[in-house]
Amino acid sequence: MTGQPGEDYREISFDDRMDGTEFRVSERAHITVDTEVCDSCTVRSCLHVCPAKLFVPRADGGILFNFEQCFECGACYQVCDAEGAITWTYPDGGLGVVFRKG
Amino acid sequence: MTDTYAGPSSASVLLQQPPGKPDFDVLVVGAGPAGSAAALAAARAGCSVALLERGPFPGSKNVYGGVVYGRVLDELVPQWWEEMPVERWVTRRSTMVMTADQALTVDFRSQRWGTAPYNGATAHRADLDGWLAGHAVAAGAVLVPATVATGLLRTTAGTVVGVRTDRPDGDLTARVVIACDGVNSFLAKEAGLHPKQDTARHLTLGVKETLALPREVIEQRFGLTGRDGQDIEILGCTRGIPGGGFLYTNLESVSLGVVVGLPGLATAKVRPEELLADLKAHPAIAPLVRGGRQVEYAAHLIPEGGYDHLPELAGDGLLVAGDAAGMCLAAGIWLEGVNFAIGAGMYAGRAAVAAIGAGDTSQAGLAGYRRALEKSFVLADHRKLRKVPGLVLSERMQRQYPGLICDLAEGLFEVDNPRPKPGLRRLLRTAVRRHGVSPRRLLADAITGMRAFG
Ligand SMILES: Cc1cc2nc3c(=O)[nH]c(=O)nc-3n(C[C@H](O)[C@H](O)[C@H](O)COP(=O)(O)OP(=O)(O)OC[C@H]3O[C@@H](n4cnc5c(N)ncnc54)[C@H](O)[C@@H]3O)c2cc1C
Ligand code: SF4
Ligand code: SF4
């Protein structure tokens, strides 16, 4: 990625997309997902709305969740209407995402 | 460390004994524009003030499109334009309506906006929020970064007397707490100021890419010189999901983003970065952003409920300002929140000072805040535009009007002699029919729009 004119800047992998954003990852998972609740969820809104793509469908139909590169936006808990599926908190003070160009 | 964390289910801590002398007169939670303006106003009036921020520095958790309208600062920071950390001064504002392969742009330029007292500016939040927080500190407020307010401290009678934080022995008490904790505002919710409702309905998700480009390239492509800048607001770029897009110029980067309704995004089963990829590939946008290297990807929620969905703005010992109170104005060509947050924060700070001075910090004693807001642009603009958020996010505005408008323009501009030119009336009739809009609805929307904007 050099930003030279002519290069295809449109196709960028999700990992590259997240590369420029700084995260001070906490040991405590500030968001946890009770995947047992997810097993019976049919809408799966979290898969589509999480801008950091932290919810990933598992082969067996469950959900895999990873808190580390989270923007702390709140979209997931706002769209999930299954009681108890998402336990959502802010990371401890000073940790988590650090935006520079917000 | 305590085991309480700020989240949707955070709970107040009840104090059996009312605290003695409070640690501060005013405690502001959140060093965004609302919080820093509140802290600045209160500190300048001589109150002792603490300004809590969960990020390592002000602005580190914050994201917006990128344009700040600074005139609201005239009262707080005279000659603000001489010191605000600005990328570019907006001298060119455009609204673009697009379909997959068409785009109609209304483009306005004013060189007057490129000179003092200026109109809009692009700036990054880490710079802007830090600068404003610096003014609060210079006025005497104590900035406490890297600290989360995890819940309210309340007396058994329900009066707010401070907050618990995630620091050891982290309770802080105050005569008035001002919650400026942004769109998710757990403090306002915990205090019961927001009616219990389906909140996701009024939320949009904004995702933004910052694309680095050399300064000269930006100036060439956008037709700019020096510190001049352009903003483009876009409608019709979200595959029919209620929302819109933006492209703003910084000094050596551009900010490209889309904003979409949360429920719409969830049901469309489209991921936000796909919408960004669409936009970057659009024939009207691709030549502007070509070769831009992505340096940051960011996302944030926006409260778009407008005037009709404002919460209670005061409780006993508590005020709420900015996005925490849903004071963002999102109405198509407007996506403004920073100026409203600064205005609201300033009035909240002043109302707290007045209530402390009068010795009554109850809900009644703090009621001057709402009155001041109603008289100022903050709530006057929201009241005036109360119908617009719904109109802009409506099915018709999103799925039918962009195509209709583009076809109309295409019909007007197309030259296909020797056939005679069609009249405007016929073009409109054809376009309306083609996009399945009922003429009666079109007229009704036009009238609603005109009333709301006019
Ligand atoms: C994609 C997007 C585009 C936008 N475009 C524009 C635009 O171009 N122009 C414009 O004017 N507005 C725009 N807005 C709206 C604007 O960003 C907001 O209206 C504005 O930031 C509100 O300011 P605030 O101070 O109320 O809240 P915020 O800026 O959200 O600040 C809240 C602060 O509180 C802190 N905080 C939260 N909870 C706690 C806690 N428990 N303890 C301690 N600290 C806490 C946060 O870290 C944050 O610093 C946009 C928003 C988005 C998301
Ligand atoms: S988190 Fe919520 S929306 Fe996502 S799969 Fe689980 S229950 Fe469904
Ligand atoms: S808060 Fe936002 S970024 Fe984090 S997991 Fe939820 S949706 Fe994804």
Side-chain angles (χ1 to χ4, degrees), chain A residues 69-92:
Chain A
Q69 294 196 314
C70 169
F71 292 132
E72 302 154 33
C73 66
C76 54
Y77 87 84
Q78 290 283 2
V79 297
C80 173
D81 40 33
E83 187 82 33
I86 298 180
T87 307
W88 202 97
T89 62
Y90 285 130
D92 299 340

Side-chain angles (χ1 to χ4, degrees), chain B residues 10 52 88 125 127 137 143 179 213 236 272 290-291 427 441:
Chain B
S10 66
L52 246 63
R88 288 179 184 275
R125 293 295 297 272
D127 304 332
V137 170
L143 174 67
L213 283 168
R290 177 174 299 130
L427 283 173
R441 267 299 356 165

Side-chain angles (χ1 to χ4, degrees), chain B residues 243-282:
Chain B
F246 58 83
L247 175 59
Y248 299 150
T249 53
N250 304 312
L251 205 53
E252 297 189 318
S253 66
V254 296
S255 304
L256 180 80
V258 294
V259 172
V260 279
L262 263 191
L265 184 64
T267 50
K269 305 205 181 298
V270 175
R271 291 205 30 87
E273 73 276 4
E274 296 174 36
L275 298 174
L276 275 173
D278 279 7
L279 194 53
K280 273 200 270 187
H282 191 280

